[in-house]
């Protein structure tokens, strides 16, 4: 073919580049059987060599103290004994020498013993799972074994501890491949074809088939059965378009887009072939099929259009995957994955791109459909399959070659000639004519422009091929950068993409090493030959041998030869990087960058130059001459020869005259010493000889030899560089390009920081100076400006032999395209003086990154357009620094010289003190750069918070002893929330149920021992009644306060014992007073409280595992041992476990359970276990309408059973829990079927005796569940309600259930029951023998639930029509017909509807009380006062009233009826008062509203006085005690809801006084209410508060329903388990301040400004009360830098908010110094130790502490200089002053600048002249002349420096060498002379 690349005939094969031998690889024959140990034999059946990522090497191998170069070999080994397989393993070893055995074994894993039938090579690979490499092995046709070989590597542990994981496949796989990029990383798996030839029969399970069918019908819209339309794939160049070859003839590559073939690529309508390609993205993820994307999906703006009918699964069994690889791009961020397949039927290759797919749109659930089929059973609905594809493939090119046979044996990517990326795809295929020869087909693509267009096909730039024996990709040479544009914009992606390589190790290009049939090895970059390669001289081989290349890893590879006469195998490395000479590599990179923008024919010059330099260096290194840098000497010779030849020098004829004398045998030992490596290194280090004044030794040219051997002479004469130069012509200006490139990089090195850069710059300057002098001989002054430039910088002459001097050449032309020499310092000065004409339009060399960036920064800093706006200028400068890739100031100062950075550091310091506002355009990197890590962390929330509590506060809270209830640890948890008192400790004492209670019983003199013990038991029984109610409150206090546990959670036992003083004797409660029945539900609450301590499961990683949950299951214990012939003994269940399961669901962990676990708990667990599990599952999936859970709930509701199953006996508690669970699961879904069912269930009459227990609670739960499902339905508008549920007549039926009346369905139900009774054999079980209800509705059963349901349905709607259905009685008659407690429910429901009208004012509270009740309650009060004989002492005394008021009151008393029911008035007033408080509590829950809090507080005091007061008025107005306790408890809970999480001390004292009573009339439910109030007040230890969204309100309403149990086992009116649903409304609202320097939480005053104008001043840590939708939190302390953060969506916030703060230098913390005073420098005596200790204590960052330790405290730091006598005298005192100034003026960056100036000026005064130092001082002087604002360096100090320099340069220094005098004169010229600047 004409496109084949042939070897250049002029290439001299005598001097190829020599390889570096490494070792002889082991296991040359992978199929041979090797002796192992004794009779055991080992067989390696698969093996591959690879490298491991650098992070793994640094982490794992350094921690193991292993020396490792990153090359490992992974083998699948089989061990046999007597031909019997013992075991199979995978072994990971170092790839070592065969003499050392198999190398170091890193890891070994056993594999399954299944028959290993894989014949392909792609059965092992390393791939990334969640950012961490894992070894994947196709260990069996249906098994993939995944191993974490290096568990210490950085990243997240997917499989921890080096353990393995087996992934079972639902099919037989043929190969696996690694997908390298993280966007869609993981494994690509290909299944075997059905015929078994390429790649066995598909063995899908029925479950997987069903999943795929569901996915096809629901998620992919029958994509499996679709057909690709014509033109839907842009494959290759198109159907009618042909590509051109390099020589213009027809190309061997053609695009293939035949319609029939494309249709075969995907599945037809009539076939059911399953996919052939699958992906695995995590070890525990699903196996997902791959899609083939259409052009419609590829070009769609809305990526959901990807899931269209033209998209199908990849299911062509004829396509075999051969290669998967990631594209590297050096100029743009591209993360494409390339895949190559081979079609065995058509015989061509296809190239595919892999892309990540969006999540497919989920189908609409059945219950959301407006046309619901009534025949569908809600218990049989199926869940949506989540088996959607994550990877889509699109064909971009097709390769068809008739000259080769079969699939490619090797495929790889390599770098193109422009060094833009690995854009050359090479395929090595077997030729038709000669089987020993292969054809390497290479295609160069342009993916960069492809990303900018919408074309599916790639743009092919180049096509070429090589005829070879073997080829491998190796990384042997570095890339070079394109020219640097100073005038570029920050949004220029092509310029910004190179920043990832700045100042670091540049990536190496991937070149192609080819083995030819003639035995030659050749290295190519694309189609350009870089160099010939040969073996070292000590390795001999026959000339006819051919070599096989294999196992490439970076620049290392294996070379083997299996010739009949010669066997050879060795590993070599090949690198054309000048690693030993930094100056040579820098120069070559600069030249390579300069030629990137030239013509194609000139672009070969840098490749040839690099190869010639290295080959000449290898020749020179063979001599005994100890040259310090043979590569640099070689570079100078080759470069000088190129310049000379292009300028007319006849090199060939002159070289023929040279006869080289070998200096190895010279008698001139002194000359040999001067050429030695030691001497050159000594001179290069700028050291001064002790015995001479001369700095360097001059060597005359005539005493030196340019060449060391005749081989070098011949090599130079026939070098590729000169040959290439002659072939392209001598008029291309190659010399100018080379000279300007070297000059630019030389200037760039001046502003780089580091001693090695100075040495490199000196060498380049000396070399360029010698060239410029030869262009400036005689009258020719074309390069005089360059001669002067180099003379001013480095006036010393060179000690090395010069090419031009050797041949006595002179050049009669200017070899530079610049009008004046480019001087970086001069350009910077001109920019500062606004004399920058033409500078910014210049493109610098691509390697001049430092100088280019510096000029860009000065352009921004001294911009005329924004000169007046300093803040914007400073902000733009920092943005530019961040865009340039700098991380912080230290990073900037470590890479660029310090003094040119003074103006930049000034701007950074101003930005640090006054940063821009927290706007979206400011990135976190901006704040991180200016040192405001606090603002950076605020800007990027979501990271893992590892901050620790302040040890000064929490150190006193050491946990000692047993802390199973978590109350001891919560004291430490909340210590910083309440640092000034012990309220949290008192609260934990009140809620602790795991320790004996304090018991004191007074004993009268007449009481005997028996009676006294009885009294103690009675008193202890009352105390234990309260103890049994405490777990509910403890759960509230400890919710979410512990970390994820590793061991099973211990549930504390409830201690029913007393501690009797003074001996503290323990008295246990008698068992007869508290049986197991009494402890059942308290134990349940105890389990819930323990489980609620767990953290919330927010994602998969924070969720507890199934094994951990199952490990907590208690063992079932029989009550008594089994007796022979007796029935099985009764089983004693652990009821706490049911509560524990409920808590796991509330915290989001229960979904880890499998279906068999759920079945086991339901089938074998106690009733409490079933209740907890049902509620937990529903709470875990709240609002999801999960069909599986809904099905589980429905089978526990007998009303949904068929008629034949109705007699199934189920506990009422389980039924109630199932109903409540359905409400939670479908909350806000407006589920029609459930709505209709619950409406019927509320009015359902008792049908059997077992359903009469706890009937009130069941109906209440039905009503609340109905309200949950239709939450805020009335707020959606009447139209939608009528359209969806109008036929159910919800309002009418609920009103009938509330108000009562004749049941319209009574006759129908009676007739229906009669028919069923006649037809059923067990009709007696269908009737209730306990309860008979006539035709009237029993509102005692239906009213509470219906009332609350109506309020929840019309929640926040403001509907007056709905409110009219809930009117309170306005007459005595109406009052007599309503139960008083119903008034509570009606008022709460009314408040839910009129949500926005609820006000925390006395006016609103008084308006809610019906006038009739207010009137008679007031009259009753007046009558009591009048009848009292102590009117003056009465609280409501009439003595202060006037005469008119007394007459009016007397008139009112006359109206007072004696027939009035006083008790109903008292009860109604108490219930309405409690209802008002409860309504306010719901409305302002979690807000901390002061008005609502004060109003409820007053009402509670009134109710408390009625309960505890003994005056006549209290006794007269007091209702019955149960009513009063219920109302008081409800009001206490309402107050706690408002102040939840605040720990308000005043409220806490009130609650303590309310709960103090422990008497007979205080029931179990009353204790539960007060414990709940205390727990709410300290919710989550003070870190949480309650939400206020509709879902939260529903949970609070059912949790704190004001019907508390009388006994511990009472569930009649309300299921006790529902008391814990408050956990769903608990929100993490903690906000804490974290010091970024110490990573400690700090006490700090904050200012919280809400969007409604309200402002609070609080002390962090605290909680954010949702007083508005959003707020802004700011620092309110002078000791810390100002910072603020906005918190949006406050109502939905459910996470800890951290505001990061940074303490100012010289300030103490707020705890140490609340006033925030600044350190006063005038009060510090620098000679006193206590002053130094004070400074040491305020040094808060690492840099300041290190500086102070080494320079201020160390006496040896005194340098004794008298330079700054006006400023200070010693280094130690000067350093201390610097520290103090830095602290007081916020100038931490100034310390390093001051010392840089100190050192620089002292060197000048000591005659250590350096032109760079003078230039830097001149720039500093210019900056202080043009600027009017200084931050890091004081003007006074700068003036001292300038004055010192002026004095120094004006004094003639005596007693120094002549060279020093010349250098001094040059420095004076630089300091005082105005130097110009121009550009080419």
């Amino acid at each position: 073919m004409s496109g084949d690349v042939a070897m250049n005939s002029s290439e001299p094969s005598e001097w190829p580049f020599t390889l570096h031998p490494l070792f002889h690889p082991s296991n040359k024959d992978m199929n041979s059987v090797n002796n192992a140990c004794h009779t055991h034999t080992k067989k390696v059946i698969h093996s591959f060599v690879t490298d491991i990522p650098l992070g793994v090497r640094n982490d794992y191998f350094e921690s193991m103290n292993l020396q490792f170069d990153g090359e490992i070999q992974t083998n699948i080994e089989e061990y046999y004994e007597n031909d019997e397989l013992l075991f199979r393993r995978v072994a990971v070893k170092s790839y070592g020498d065969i003499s050392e055995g198999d190398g170091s074994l890193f890891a070994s894993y056993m594999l399954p013993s299944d028959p290993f039938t894989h014949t392909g090579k792609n059965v092992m690979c390393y791939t990334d799972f969640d950012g961490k490499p894992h070894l994947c092995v196709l260990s069996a046709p249906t098994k993939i074994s995944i191993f974490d070989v290096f568990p210490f590597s950085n990243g997240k542990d997917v499989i921890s501890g080096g353990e393995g994981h087996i992934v079972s496949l639902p099919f037989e796989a043929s190969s696996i491949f690694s997908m390298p990029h993280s966007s869609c990383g993981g494994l690509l798996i290909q299944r075997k074809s059905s015929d078994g030839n390429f790649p066995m029969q598909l063995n899908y399970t029925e479950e997987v088939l069903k999943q795929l069918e569901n996915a096809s019908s629901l998620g992919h819209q029958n994509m499996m059965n679709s057909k690709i339309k014509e033109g839907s794939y842009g494959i290759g160049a198109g159907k009618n378009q042909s590509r051109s070859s390099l020589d213009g003839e027809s190309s061997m590559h053609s695009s293939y887009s035949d319609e029939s073939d494309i249709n075969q690529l995907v599945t037809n309508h009539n076939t059911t072939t399953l996919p052939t390609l699958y992906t695995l993205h995590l070890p525990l993820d699903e196996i997902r099929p791959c899609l083939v994307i259409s052009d419609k999906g590829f070009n769609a703006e809305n990526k959901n259009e990807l899931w269209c009918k033209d998209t199908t699964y990849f299911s062509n069994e004829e396509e075999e995957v051969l290669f998967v690889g990631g594209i590297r791009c050096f100029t743009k961020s591209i993360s494409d994955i390339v895949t190559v397949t081979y079609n065995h039927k058509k015989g061509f290759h296809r190239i595919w791109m892999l892309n990540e797919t969006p999540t497919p749109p989920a189908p609409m659930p059945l219950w959301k459909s407006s046309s619901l089929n009534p025949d569908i059973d809600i218990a049989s609905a199926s869940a949506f399959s989540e088996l959607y594809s994550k990877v889509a493939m699109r064909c971009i090119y097709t390769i068809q070659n008739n000259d080769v046979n079969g699939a490619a044996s090797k495929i790889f990517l390599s770098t193109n000639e422009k060094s833009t990326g690995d854009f050359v795809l090479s395929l090595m295929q077997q030729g038709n004519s000669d089987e020993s020869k292969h054809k390497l087909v290479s295609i160069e693509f342009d993916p960069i422009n492809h990303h900018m267009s919408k074309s599916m096909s790639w743009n092919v730039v180049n096509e070429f091929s090589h005829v070879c024996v073997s080829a491998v990709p190796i990384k042997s040479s570095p890339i070079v950068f394109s020219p640097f544009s100073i005038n570029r914009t920050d949004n220029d992606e092509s310029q910004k993409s190179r920043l990832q390589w700045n100042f670091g190790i540049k990536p190496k290009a991937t070149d192609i090493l080819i083995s030819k049939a003639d035995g030659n090895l050749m290295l190519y970059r694309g189609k350009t030959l870089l160099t010939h390669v040969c073996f070292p001289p000590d390795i001999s081989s026959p000339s006819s041998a051919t070599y096989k290349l294999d196992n490439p890893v970076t620049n290392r590879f294996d070379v083997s030869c299996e010739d009949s006469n010669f066997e050879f195998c060795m590993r070599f490395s090949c690198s054309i990087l000048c690693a030993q000479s930094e100056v040579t590599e820098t120069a070559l990179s600069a030249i390579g960058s300069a030629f990137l923008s030239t013509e194609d024919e000139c672009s070969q010059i840098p490749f040839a130059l690099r190869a010639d330099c290295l080959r000449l260096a290898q020749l020179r290194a063979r001599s005994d001459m100890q040259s310090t840098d043979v590569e640099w000497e070689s570079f100078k010779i080759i470069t000088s020869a190129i310049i000379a030849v292009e300028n007319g020098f006849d090199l060939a004829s002159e070289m023929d005259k040279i006869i080289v004398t070998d200096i190895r045998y010279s008698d001139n030992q002194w000359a040999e010493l001067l050429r030695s490596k030691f001497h050159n290194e000594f001179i290069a280090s700028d050291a001064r000889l002790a015995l001479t004044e001369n700095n360097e030794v001059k060597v005359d040219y005539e005493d030196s030899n340019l060449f060391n051997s005749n081989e070098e002479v011949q090599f130079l004469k026939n070098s590729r560089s000169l040959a290439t130069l002659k072939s392209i012509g001598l008029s291309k200006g190659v010399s100018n390009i080379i000279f300007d490139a070297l000059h630019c990089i030389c200037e760039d090195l001046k502003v780089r920081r580091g001693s090695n850069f100075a040495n490199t710059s000196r060498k380049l300057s000396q070399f360029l100076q010698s060239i410029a002098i030869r262009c400036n001989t005689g009258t020719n002054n074309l390069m005089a400006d360059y001669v002067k430039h180099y003379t001013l910088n480095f006036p010393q002459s060179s000690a090395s032999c010069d090419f031009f001097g050797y041949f006595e050449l002179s050049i009669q032309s200017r070899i530079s395209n610049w009008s004046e020499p480019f001087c970086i310092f001069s350009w910077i000065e001109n920019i500062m003086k606004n004399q920058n004409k033409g500078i910014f339009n210049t493109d610098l060399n691509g390697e001049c990154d430092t100088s280019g960036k510096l000029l860009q920064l000065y352009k921004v800093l001294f911009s005329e357009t924004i000169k007046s706006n300093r803040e914007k200028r400073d902000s733009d400068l920092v943005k530019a620094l961040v865009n340039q890739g700098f991380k912080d100031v230290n990073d900037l100062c470590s890479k660029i010289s310090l003094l040119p950075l003074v103006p930049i550091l000034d701007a950074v310091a101003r930005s640090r003190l006054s940063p821009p506002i927290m706007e979206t355009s400011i990135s976190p990197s901006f704040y991180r750069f200016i040192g405001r890590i606090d603002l950076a962390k605020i800007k990027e929330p979501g990271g893992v918070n590892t901050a620790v509590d302040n040890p000064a506060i929490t150190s006193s809270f050491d946990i000692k002893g047993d802390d199973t209830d978590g109350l001891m640890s919560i004291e430490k948890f909340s210590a910083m929330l309440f640092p000034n008192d012990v309220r949290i400790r008192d609260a934990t004492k009140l809620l602790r149920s795991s320790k004996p209670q304090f018991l004191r019983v007074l004993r009268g003199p007449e009481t005997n021992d028996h009676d006294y013990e009885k009294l103690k038991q009675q008193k202890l029984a009352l105390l234990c009644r309260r103890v049994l109610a405490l777990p509910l409150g403890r759960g509230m206090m400890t919710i979410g306060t512990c970390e994820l546990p590793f061991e099973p959670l211990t549930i504390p036992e409830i201690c029913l014992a007393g501690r009797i003083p003074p001996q503290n004797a323990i008295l246990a409660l008698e068992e007869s007073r508290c049986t197991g029945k009494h402890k059942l539900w308290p134990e349940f609450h105890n389990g819930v409280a323990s489980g609620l301590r767990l953290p919330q499961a927010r994602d998969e990683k924070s969720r507890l595992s199934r094994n951990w949950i199952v490990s907590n299951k208690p063992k079932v214990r029989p009550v008594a041992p089994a007796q022979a012939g007796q029935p099985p003994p009764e089983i004693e269940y652990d009821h706490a476990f049911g509560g524990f399961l409920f808590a796991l669901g509330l915290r989001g962990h229960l979904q880890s359970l499998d279906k068999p676990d759920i079945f086991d708990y339901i089938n074998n667990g106690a009733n409490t276990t079933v209740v907890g599990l049902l509620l937990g599952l529903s709470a875990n999936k709240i609002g999801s309408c999960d069909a599986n859970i809904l099905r589980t709930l429905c089978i526990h509701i007998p009303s949904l059973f068929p008629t034949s199953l109705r007699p199934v006996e189920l506990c009422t508690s389980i039924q109630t829990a199932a109903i409540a669970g359905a409400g939670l699961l479908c909350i806000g879904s407006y589920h029609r079927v459930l709505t209709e069912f619950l409406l019927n269930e509320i009015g359902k009459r008792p049908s059997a005796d077992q359903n009469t227990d706890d009937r009130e609670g069941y109906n209440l739960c039905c009503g609340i569940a109905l309200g949950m499902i239709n939450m805020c339905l009335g707020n959606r508008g009447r139209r939608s309600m009528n359209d969806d549920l109008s036929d159910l007549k919800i309002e009418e039926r609920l009103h009938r259930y509330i108000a009562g009346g004749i049941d319209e369905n009574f006759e129908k139900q009676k007739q229906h029951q009669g028919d069923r009774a006649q037809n059923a054999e067990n009709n007696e079980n269908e009737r209730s023998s306990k309860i008979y209800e006539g035709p009237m509705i029993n509102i005692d059963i239906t009213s509470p639930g219906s009332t609350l349901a109506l309020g929840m349905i019309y929640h926040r709607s403001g509907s007056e029509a709905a409110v009219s259905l809930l009117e309170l009685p306005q007459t005595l008659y109406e009052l007599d017909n309503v139960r008083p407690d119903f008034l509570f429910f009606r008022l709460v429901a009314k408040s839910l509807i009129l949500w926005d009208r609820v006000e925390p004012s006395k006016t609103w509270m008084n308006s809610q009380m019906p006038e009739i009740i207010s009137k008679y309650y007031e009259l009753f009060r007046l009558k009591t006062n009048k009848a009292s004989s102590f009117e003056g002492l009465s609280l409501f005394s009439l003595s202060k009233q006037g005469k008119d008021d007394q007459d009016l009151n007397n008139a009112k008393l006359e109206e007072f009826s004696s027939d009035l029911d006083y008790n109903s008035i008292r009860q109604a007033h108490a219930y309405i008062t409690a209802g008002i408080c409860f309504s306010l509590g719901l409305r302002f829950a979690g807000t901390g509203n002061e008005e609502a809090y004060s109003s409820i507080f007053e009402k509670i005091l009134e109710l408390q006085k009625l309960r505890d007061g003994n005056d006549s008025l209290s006794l007269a107005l007091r209702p019955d005690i149960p009513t009063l306790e219920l109302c008081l408890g409800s009001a206490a809970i309402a107050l706690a809801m408002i102040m939840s999480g605040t720990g308000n001390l005043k409220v806490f004292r009130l609650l303590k006084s309310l709960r103090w009573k422990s008497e007979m009339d205080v029931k179990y439910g009353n204790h539960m209410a007060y414990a709940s109030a205390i727990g709410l007040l300290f919710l989550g230890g003070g870190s949480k508060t309650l939400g206020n969204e509709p879902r939260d309100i529903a949970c609070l309403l059912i949790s704190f329903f004001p019907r508390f149990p009388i006994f511990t086992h009472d569930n009649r009116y309300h299921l006790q388990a529902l008391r814990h649903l408050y956990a769903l409304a608990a929100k993490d609202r903690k906000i804490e301040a974290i010091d970024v320097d110490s990573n400690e939480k700090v006490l700090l005053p904050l200012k919280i400004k809400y969007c409604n104008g309200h402002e609070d001043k609080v002390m962090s840590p605290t909680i954010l009360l949702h007083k508005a939708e959003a707020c802004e939190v700011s620092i309110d302390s002078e000791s810390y830098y100002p910072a603020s953060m906005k918190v949006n969506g406050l109502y939905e916030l459910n996470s800890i908010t951290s505001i990061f703060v940074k303490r100012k230098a010289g300030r103490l913390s707020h705890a140490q110094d609340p006033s925030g005073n600044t350190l006063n420098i005038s009060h510090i005596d620098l000679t006193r130790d206590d002053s130094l200790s004070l400074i040491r204590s305020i040094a808060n960052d690492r840099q300041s502490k290190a500086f102070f330790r080494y320079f201020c405290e160390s006496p040896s730091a005194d340098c004794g200089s008298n330079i700054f006598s006006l400023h200070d005298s010693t280094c130690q005192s000067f350093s201390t002053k610097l520290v103090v100034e830095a602290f007081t003026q916020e100038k931490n960056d100034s310390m390093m600048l001051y010392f840089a100036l100190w050192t620089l000026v002292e060197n000048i005064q000591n005659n250590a002249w350096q032109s760079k130092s003078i230039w830097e001082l001149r720039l500093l002087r210019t900056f202080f002349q043009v600027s009017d604002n200084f931050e890091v360096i004081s003007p006074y100090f700068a003036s001292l420096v300038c004055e010192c320099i002026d004095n120094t340069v004006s004094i003639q220094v005596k007693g120094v060498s002549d060279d020093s005098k010349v250098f001094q004169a040059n420095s004076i010229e630089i300091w005082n002379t105005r130097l110009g600047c121009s550009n080419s």
Side-chain angles (χ1 to χ4, degrees), residues 312-367:
T312 182
Y313 289 120
F314 190 98
S315 54
N316 191 347
E317 295 186 351
E318 299 169 358
E319 296 277 340
E320 177 188 4
V321 178
L322 303 178
F323 170 79
V324 178
I327 292 180
R328 290 193 308 164
C329 183
F330 307 132
T331 61
K332 192 178 181 66
S333 178
I334 295 179
S335 59
D336 290 342
I337 299 178
V338 177
T339 302
V340 180
T341 63
Y342 179 72
N343 191 298
H344 287 263
K345 181 178 180 180
K346 300 291 184 179
F348 54 75
H349 296 81
R350 277 198 177 99
I351 306 175
W352 307 76
M353 292 298 299
L354 268 64
N355 299 93
E356 188 177 8
T357 63
T359 304
M364 180 179 294
L366 296 177
W367 49 267

Side-chain angles (χ1 to χ4, degrees), residues 1185-1256:
C1185 296
D1186 187 276
N1188 292 324
I1189 299 177
L1190 186 59
R1191 189 181 302 113
T1192 304
L1193 296 173
C1194 290
I1195 62 176
H1196 290 87
I1197 304 175
S1199 298
L1200 293 174
F1201 292 176
T1203 305
S1204 58
L1205 297 179
R1206 286 292 177 88
V1208 175
E1209 187 172 341
L1210 273 178
C1211 175
T1212 309
S1213 298
I1214 296 178
Q1215 300 181 44
T1216 306
I1219 291 291
L1224 288 172
L1225 192 67
C1226 302
I1227 187 171
S1229 66
Y1230 317 115
H1231 200 297
R1232 177 184 175 86
V1233 176
L1234 285 179
T1235 300
E1236 184 175 3
F1237 163 72
L1238 291 173
L1239 269 175
N1240 296 331
E1241 201 69 6
I1242 294 176
K1244 176 187 172 183
R1245 297 175 179 274
S1247 57
D1249 289 342
Q1250 65 265 24
N1251 294 332
T1252 58
D1253 297 335
D1254 306 333
R1255 186 174 167 222
E1256 291 87 347

Side-chain angles (χ1 to χ4, degrees), residues 620-648:
R620 294 176 67 89
R622 295 174 186 175
S623 65
D624 292 338
M625 177 182 173
Q626 298 183 7
S627 176
T628 181
D629 196 341
V630 293
E631 293 175 347
W632 173 239
E633 297 297 330
S634 302
F635 171 81
K636 290 193 296 182
I637 293 174
I638 299 295
T639 306
S640 300
I642 292 175
I643 296 175
V645 170
E646 190 182 32
N647 286 276

Side-chain angles (χ1 to χ4, degrees), residues 55-56 58-61 63-64 132 148-155 157 162:
V56 175
N58 292 342
D59 187 9
Y60 178 79
F61 293 100
S63 64
M64 303 297 292
K132 185 176 180 182
D148 184 7
V149 182
F150 307 105
F152 298 99
S153 62
N154 295 327
D157 289 336

Side-chain angles (χ1 to χ4, degrees), residues 1157-1172:
D1157 301 320
I1158 297 175
F1159 175 79
D1160 178 57
Y1161 292 146
I1162 292 177
N1163 193 44
N1164 301 322
N1167 290 338
T1168 51
T1169 302
V1170 179
V1171 168

Side-chain angles (χ1 to χ4, degrees), residues 1748-1779:
F1748 185 81
R1749 181 168 64 253
Y1750 290 111
F1751 289 96
C1752 300
E1753 295 184 321
S1754 175
S1756 61
D1758 192 0
C1759 53
S1761 175
N1762 58 358
I1763 299 174
F1764 299 110
S1765 57
L1766 298 177
H1767 194 276
D1768 216 312
S1769 59
T1770 65
C1771 178
Q1772 184 178 5
S1773 59
F1774 175 68
S1775 303
T1776 307
K1777 281 290 185 66
L1778 289 185
V1779 174

Side-chain angles (χ1 to χ4, degrees), residues 30 53 222 225 381 432 536 949 994 1022 1233 1339 1363 1500 1513 1574 1581:
M30 294 301 175
N222 293 320
N225 299 323
N432 288 330
D949 292 331
S994 58
L1022 296 176
V1233 176
I1339 61 174
V1363 170
I1500 292 178
L1513 184 60
I1574 296 175

